[in-house]
Amino acid sequence: MAVIAGHDQRVERAARALRPLLRAMGEDRTFDIRFWDGRTLRAPGGNPSFTLALRRPGALRRMLLPPTDLAIGEAYVHGDFDVEGDLYAFVSLSERLSDLHLSPADLARSALLLSSLTDTDADAPPDGRGAARLQGELHSAERDAQAVRYHYDVGNEFYALWLDRRMVYSCARFMTPEMSLDDAQLAKLDLVLDKLQLADGMRLLDIGCGWGGLVIRACERWPGITAIGVTLSERQHELANQRIVEAGLAGRCRIELLDYRSVPETFGRFDRIASVGMAEHVGRERIAAYFAAAAASLEPGGLFLNHAITRQPTRATAPGAIVGGPLRRLLPARSFIDAYVFPDGDLLTLAEMLTAAQGAGFEVRHVESLRPHYARTLRHWVARLEAHWDEAVAAVGETTARTWRLYMSGAAIGFERAHLDLHQELLALPSADGTSDAPPLPNWS
């Protein structure tokens, strides 16, 4: 790119800084790069899948110094750049970038050029929702409450814009390709309840109950059961109980603001327990205590359905850096997801999850993967968020709306490419004689 008189000279420095990276990508680069003054580096083959639109001179510096997914994510959510076109193609780039091999000399030259790209006060990115800064011991009850509220208390009106009408914030179950999100989430709730073999007269506990969708559905289907949900989110607690009252179910179910560790001493034992999208917040060091608390809350012979994202050990990418080789070990390890989405979240493998469950006395009766369903769920959520974009920005601000759009798009790719999985584990707590309420054969559709 030649320097044009009267144009911002920083564009030339930015283009030179990118040159080693673009050269390494070669003909495989399928996107344009448009600088803040309108000049553009075209994709080699034309027909770009998206345009990386740099809004201000300091954008590349903040994106690539250091070269981590946290730096790129922060630059995106704070508006340093836009992705015009296929956002899924953009988030898929991380795999491609981590496979590139750049020489130390190229990296040093690029870093020097990037460090010179500064903004004027008028160019600086706007303030917005910052990264999570949690206090206290990792996965203590107090710190876990901070983590949950950082994510879930951004605003009920925001989530209502793009979730289904029951506000179920977990993987749906699509029985047909044409099924709506509302129907697919209802199908997932019914699948959980069918696996639990619920019957009138039983007590149901939902650990990490969200906005109460599961307990409300259970009481709709079985007029003789009672149900309690627990959450650490104050906003979820408030709205879930409101929805229970509106459904005319206040005498049979309720939501409590309570940590899972306090359930056994507070409520005693239940006939059935569900935990949907909760185990991801527990942490590897506390997963044994999580299953122990569930076992202490369950009647002998009862059933526990644990529904959680799991990590594929041979396919998952390391968080943080987007470059490979020895440099990866020298870069900050905190990921964008940990900083801006699910602080202290920890994805275990299925083997780790089941080992902890068995260590707490559970018998593993059935395991099912819903991985393709979660990819489809996330694409529905992204499309619905984009369809209500102006309302979302008005509700929570552009930084938060951009955070959810980026993380959900990236998660969809993670499930599609089998870096992530979603497993439902049906666990039984055998009685002294070895019996339980688990069916001899699966009997749900």
Side-chain angles (χ1 to χ4, degrees):
M1 177 186 294
V3 177
I4 301 175
H7 282 237
D8 190 337
Q9 303 298 304
R10 290 171 295 186
V11 172
E12 172 66 17
R13 294 203 301 274
R16 286 164 52 202
L18 288 173
R19 195 169 295 154
L21 180 64
L22 301 185
R23 185 171 57 242
M25 296 184 73
E27 297 297 314
D28 292 336
R29 177 168 64 90
T30 59
F31 60 94
D32 290 347
I33 301 173
R34 188 173 69 243
F35 296 94
W36 54 94
D37 71 344
R39 283 182 280 179
T40 303
L41 295 174
R42 303 292 182 185
N47 298 316
S49 56
F50 65 90
T51 296
L52 186 69
L54 303 172
R55 284 181 167 181
R56 50 185 69 94
L60 279 176
R61 175 173 54 82
R62 284 185 287 272
M63 289 171 66
L64 298 175
L65 289 182
T68 64
D69 84 319
L70 174 56
I72 291 179
E74 283 186 321
Y76 175 78
V77 302
H78 291 301
D80 275 323
F81 70 93
D82 273 322
V83 178
E84 299 174 359
D86 188 350
L87 185 62
Y88 295 102
F90 168 75
V91 297
S92 300
L93 273 179
S94 60
E95 284 185 74
R96 177 84 175 94
L97 294 176
S98 65
D99 290 337
L100 298 179
H101 297 286
L102 303 178
S103 72
D106 280 341
L107 290 170
R109 281 191 292 269
S110 291
L112 185 62
L113 288 165
L114 290 172
S115 65
S116 70
L117 298 174
T118 58
D119 299 315
T120 65
D121 289 342
D123 293 326
D127 292 331
R129 180 175 182 264
R133 296 285 183 264
L134 308 185
Q135 304 295 320
E137 180 186 353
L138 181 64
H139 291 301
S140 63
E142 296 78 10
R143 180 164 171 141
D144 280 355
Q146 295 172 48
V148 166
R149 289 166 188 167
Y150 177 83
H151 183 89
Y152 295 97
D153 285 357
V154 297
N156 293 332
E157 63 278 10
F158 171 65
Y159 286 104
L161 289 172
W162 46 273
L163 292 177
D164 65 298
R165 66 182 181 86
R166 291 176 181 266
M167 294 184 70
V168 180
Y169 192 25
S170 55
C171 174
R173 188 191 190 207
F174 294 88
M175 306 301 290
T176 66
E178 300 79 21
M179 183 175 257
S180 70
L181 181 63
D182 282 336
D183 290 343
Q185 287 292 14
L186 181 60
K188 188 277 301 297
L189 295 180
D190 283 342
L191 177 66
V192 170
L193 298 173
D194 289 343
K195 287 182 176 182
L196 284 172
Q197 303 286 290
L198 273 169
D200 283 326
M202 288 185 174
R203 296 180 74 220
L204 169 67
L205 169 68
D206 185 3
I207 302 174
C209 63
W211 288 276
L214 185 70
V215 296
I216 291 173
R217 178 58 176 166
C219 289
E220 288 174 349
R221 288 184 59 184
W222 290 276
I225 72 164
T226 56
I228 294 176
V230 297
T231 178
L232 292 175
S233 166
E234 293 175 343
R235 301 295 300 276
Q236 286 184 337
H237 172 254
E238 177 184 3
L239 182 57
N241 278 314
Q242 178 184 324
R243 290 160 68 91
I244 287 171
V245 170
E246 291 171 351
L249 299 171
R252 296 178 44 218
C253 63
R254 69 183 190 274
I255 308 301
E256 299 286 349
L257 199 63
L258 191 71
D259 188 273
Y260 71 91
R261 283 160 282 208
S262 299
V263 167
E265 64 191 46
T266 306
F267 297 123
R269 293 183 180 270
F270 293 79
D271 302 289
R272 301 288 188 265
I273 300 176
S275 177
V276 180
M278 161 62 188
E280 301 92 331
H281 297 287
V282 170
R284 182 171 281 98
E285 298 83 2
R286 299 295 177 97
I287 195 65
Y290 163 78
F291 281 108
S297 302
L298 190 62
E299 294 284 1
L303 303 179
F304 174 30
L305 191 287
N306 188 59
H307 168 123
I309 299 171
T310 54
R311 179 175 56 87
Q312 292 280 31
T314 61
R315 294 180 61 86
T317 55
I322 58 169
V323 297
L327 180 62
R328 176 183 289 275
R329 295 192 294 271
L330 304 176
L331 295 173
R334 192 179 194 190
S335 68
F336 173 73
I337 293 294
D338 180 71
Y340 281 85
V341 184
F342 291 113
D344 292 350
D346 199 359
L347 299 185
L348 278 63
T349 66
L350 177 62
E352 290 171 322
M353 198 80 73
L354 295 181
T355 297
Q358 290 178 313
F362 285 107
E363 177 188 18
V364 181
R365 296 303 301 261
H366 186 267
V367 177
E368 180 179 7
S369 170
L370 297 178
R371 178 175 69 82
H373 298 267
Y374 216 161
R376 185 174 296 180
T377 302
L378 285 154
R379 284 187 176 261
H380 271 276
W381 288 344
V382 172
R384 291 160 72 100
L385 174 59
E386 291 174 342
H388 295 279
W389 187 254
D390 291 342
E391 297 164 86
V393 171
V396 296
E398 187 172 0
T399 297
T400 299
R402 289 168 76 92
T403 297
W404 260 252
R405 182 174 183 243
L406 181 64
Y407 114 73
M408 293 194 297
S409 299
I413 296 298
F415 283 102
E416 287 171 359
R417 299 191 175 179
H419 298 305
L420 301 171
D421 209 329
L422 187 288
H423 285 101
Q424 288 189 349
E425 306 119 26
L426 180 63
L427 310 171
L429 188 67
S431 301
D433 61 0
T435 61
S436 75
D437 294 336
L441 292 173
N443 61 351
W444 48 86
S445 59

